[in-house]
Amino acid sequence: MTVLRNPVIRGFAPDPSLVRVGDWYYVATSSFEWFPTIPIHRSRDLAHWQYAGHVRGAVPGDSLAGVPDSGGVWAPSLSWDGERFWMVYSVVRSVGTPYFDLDTYVCTATDVSGTWSAPRRVASHGFDPALFHHEGRLWLLNMQSDHRPGGRRFAGIVLTELDRRTLAPSGATHLLLQHERLIEGPKLVHRDGWYHLVLAEGGTGVEHGVLVARSRAITGPYELDRQPLLTTRDDPSVPLQKAGHAELVQTPDGDWVMSHLAARPLRTAQGPRCPLGRETAVQALTWDEDGWPRLRDGGWHPAVEVDVPTRRQELAAAADTGEPLGWPWSTLREPADPSWADTVARPGWIRLRGRHGPESWWAHSLLAQRITEHRAEAEVTVEARPRTFTQAAGLVLWYNTEAYHALDLTWAEPEGAGQHGQQWEGGGRTVLSLVEREEGATRTAAVVEVDADSPLTLGVTVDGVEARFWYVREGVRTPVGPPLDFGKLSDDHGSRLRFTGAMAGVHAVDLVDGAFTADFTGFRLTCW
């Protein structure tokens, strides 16, 4: 047996889809508006995981420009047909409207770390698709949405058989189940003559859970289990909250395990806050005497420490991809490109060319890495010469365009002068500007004049909900402004739907001609 500690993939890693192929387990997770699209991790023992690649080319044209925050690639489902890996997922282009405006795609590969086929569009009833391979046939599961006035946005689970070669529907679409509580994320498991329909229930927040239904026939009718398989909606004290969106997998020895998402909240005066986003966890399962899946240790709450029926196996170091801006770096709405993120011009440095502002859905020059624990520290050395208030570069704590903290090297008018919008020639100051963005409002928390004639080291220390920015002056860390609320960079803050997680990174802005550049070196993110 191996003892794992949940979450097994920490930080922003939601909607895990688990599959076993031989002695390897693979998990694919949602990427939303971020690149690389659909990160994949692998493990031999369910406890130790490493990045194994991503689905390159998952988005046609490699662009999510204009996609709103928390849009993009939702809930990929990974499967294996005995010869190939299959990935099905939706690209969602509207969030918070009656229309999801999505396209569902399928691609395949013989190796998750290798080349994936070009995505092919399939029937796009709604998000959270899954493929079920059974007795040589291929089935597409999905939720459906009714956008009409008075309609239900979550209007049930549907099933369509696909032609394995063309991926076109080869028969009618069947309505499997409707339920008074929101259901999505369908997966099918065939065991002992039963088709078990595994569902995400209650939405992806604190009401989240896993519900199972079953039928003797794949097209139903399906009967619901009398209790949830997994949820924390009844107990806010459980360490792993929001538990749901599960996938069931059998081990080589015939045991069963389940992947699911969960979140680790910080307890604040404003309520629970989950800045790390939704993460990937694994539980051990059994089957009761009536043939329903149950948590092996009883109840329906996720455990932090789990004995799983595997032998502990340390992973070899992940192969070097040769990509200087590869994982764990991520970028917004497009892959990193030398036209704006150059690692060649100055060896040992990353040169960012400023583009749109930080609230752009189109072309923000930002590189970021996932924050994986509630205590973290990031620092970087930057060299830049901003000449106008329209140019800036620095260190950011990022959630989305409506929630971020940034410590930027930029330009300001001479001390005491008002903001008149001039492009000053020979005047003004180089400053560090600490900015806080919160859903519709941006405020400057501090402005500190600095000497930009030499590289400057910027940093931030996160401890729970407190984020303290600093820079190094004469070898000493010097605070900039008051502590900021890291809890605002979470799924739970604000009035709009949010599905990602907090990141730390670097960015550059040039709102006039896109010619301003900033050089960065020594980026370090430590989480503990």
Side-chain angles (χ1 to χ4, degrees):
M1 301 290 281
T2 303
V3 178
L4 63 80
R5 184 170 181 82
N6 283 314
V8 293
I9 304 175
R10 302 170 87 82
F12 164 38
D15 308 320
S17 178
L18 175 68
V19 66
R20 179 182 64 82
V21 178
D23 292 331
W24 282 102
Y25 298 89
Y26 299 90
V27 158
T29 53
S30 293
S31 48
F32 294 94
E33 68 265 39
W34 291 93
F35 282 73
T37 45
I38 314 180
I40 301 171
H41 287 73
R42 68 177 184 175
S43 173
R44 286 190 182 273
D45 63 7
L46 296 168
H48 303 88
W49 293 81
Q50 67 181 189
Y51 175 74
H54 69 279
V55 182
R56 190 186 305 274
V59 177
D62 258 354
S63 175
L64 289 169
V67 165
D69 294 333
S70 291
V73 180
W74 284 23
S77 181
L78 179 63
S79 57
W80 170 257
D81 68 357
E83 297 179 352
R84 298 182 287 173
F85 292 97
W86 294 67
M87 191 76 75
V88 60
Y89 54 94
S90 294
V91 178
V92 177
R93 300 185 182 275
S94 298
V95 178
T97 72
Y99 300 88
F100 289 106
D101 295 320
L102 59 83
D103 298 289
T104 297
Y105 296 100
V106 170
C107 51
T108 63
T110 56
D111 180 350
V112 297
S113 303
T115 301
W116 288 82
S117 65
R120 290 190 285 172
R121 192 181 186 279
V122 296
S124 302
H125 298 283
F127 57 83
D128 284 8
L131 294 175
F132 180 55
H133 309 267
H134 187 59
E135 296 179 343
R137 301 168 74 176
L138 179 64
W139 302 84
L140 173 66
L141 287 150
N142 221 324
M143 56 81 69
Q144 67 172 347
S145 176
D146 186 345
H147 65 270
R148 297 170 297 178
R152 298 173 63 183
R153 298 189 74 212
F154 296 81
I157 304 302
V158 296
L159 179 74
T160 308
E161 186 171 6
L162 302 181
D163 181 281
R164 290 180 58 84
R165 183 179 61 84
T166 67
L167 300 184
S170 61
T173 293
H174 305 273
L175 177 63
L176 300 188
L177 185 68
Q178 290 180 319
H179 188 44
E180 60 185 15
R181 186 183 284 271
L182 181 158
I183 52 174
E184 56 189 332
K187 304 289 195 300
L188 271 174
V189 175
H190 188 252
R191 178 183 181 273
D192 290 347
W194 288 100
Y195 294 92
H196 294 268
L197 183 60
V198 182
L199 302 165
E201 181 191 25
T204 197
V206 295
E207 292 294 310
H208 205 20
V210 179
L211 182 65
V212 178
R214 70 182 182 183
S215 174
R216 289 292 188 184
I218 192 170
T219 56
Y222 281 82
E223 61 172 317
L224 289 168
D225 194 359
R226 64 185 182 275
Q227 69 178 53
L229 173 58
L230 179 77
T231 190
T232 50
R233 69 173 71 98
D234 60 323
D235 189 347
S237 70
V238 176
L240 300 177
Q241 287 290 306
K242 304 182 181 180
H245 200 103
E247 185 125 24
L248 277 56
V249 167
Q250 192 170 23
T251 72
D253 296 327
D255 296 295
W256 287 82
V257 295
M258 173 178 67
S259 64
H260 66 94
L261 68 81
R264 292 175 286 161
L266 292 167
R267 310 297 175 180
T268 77
Q270 294 74 38
R273 295 288 182 265
C274 301
L276 306 182
R278 297 165 301 149
E279 308 171 283
T280 294
V282 172
Q283 304 295 327
L285 295 184
T286 188
W287 297 81
D288 71 12
E289 60 185 13
D290 294 324
W292 292 99
R294 299 283 182 251
L295 295 183
R296 188 193 58 204
D297 296 328
W300 46 77
H301 294 160
V304 173
E305 291 192 349
V306 180
D307 290 330
V308 287
T310 60
R311 291 188 297 274
R312 178 183 174 90
Q313 297 191 45
E314 298 291 347
L315 290 170
D320 185 355
T321 64
E323 300 177 16
L325 295 178
W327 192 266
W329 287 113
S330 290
T331 56
L332 279 172
R333 296 178 172 82
E334 62 179 326
D337 186 271
S339 66
W340 60 268
D342 186 352
T343 60
V344 176
R346 187 176 181 183
W349 296 68
I350 300 169
R351 176 164 293 170
L352 293 186
R353 179 176 62 83
R355 298 187 296 166
H356 290 184
E359 286 138 45
S360 172
W361 288 353
W362 298 89
H364 181 194
S365 297
L366 179 143
L367 296 169
Q369 297 182 12
R370 287 157 170 77
I371 297 174
T372 59
E373 303 295 341
H374 290 133
R375 299 183 68 193
E377 188 167 271
E379 69 174 345
V380 70
T381 297
V382 58
E383 186 170 19
R385 302 288 187 274
R387 303 298 184 192
T388 161
F389 66 92
T390 61
Q391 299 171 342
L395 179 68
V396 293
L397 292 179
W398 184 268
Y399 186 89
N400 64 17
T401 63
E402 293 285 347
Y404 62 83
H405 305 322
L407 180 60
D408 285 336
L409 189 66
T410 187
W411 177 97
E413 290 86 354
E415 188 170 6
Q419 292 183 193
H420 301 297
Q422 294 98 327
Q423 310 293 307
W424 289 77
E425 291 290 343
R429 304 172 290 156
T430 301
V431 299
L432 285 175
S433 175
L434 180 61
V435 171
E436 179 182 38
R437 172 73 173 173
E438 180 185 0
E439 199 169 87
T442 306
R443 75 177 184 95
T444 301
V447 175
V448 177
E449 186 170 352
V450 293
D451 178 7
D453 290 336
S454 58
L456 189 65
T457 297
L458 312 179
V460 62
T461 302
V462 174
D463 188 356
V465 295
E466 189 174 87
R468 291 183 177 271
F469 282 85
W470 43 269
Y471 74 106
V472 176
R473 180 174 62 186
E474 297 178 353
V476 177
R477 290 186 179 184
T478 302
V480 179
L484 301 182
D485 186 352
F486 185 59
K488 292 180 178 179
L489 310 188
S490 76
D491 297 354
D492 316 283
H493 185 77
S495 61
R496 299 187 179 99
L497 295 173
R498 295 177 169 186
F499 300 133
T500 56
M503 316 273 265
V506 296
H507 75 154
V509 172
D510 185 343
L511 303 177
V512 175
D513 58 13
F516 168 71
T517 62
D519 292 351
F520 297 88
T521 192
F523 181 84
R524 173 183 64 84
L525 173 61
T526 305
C527 304
W528 66 95

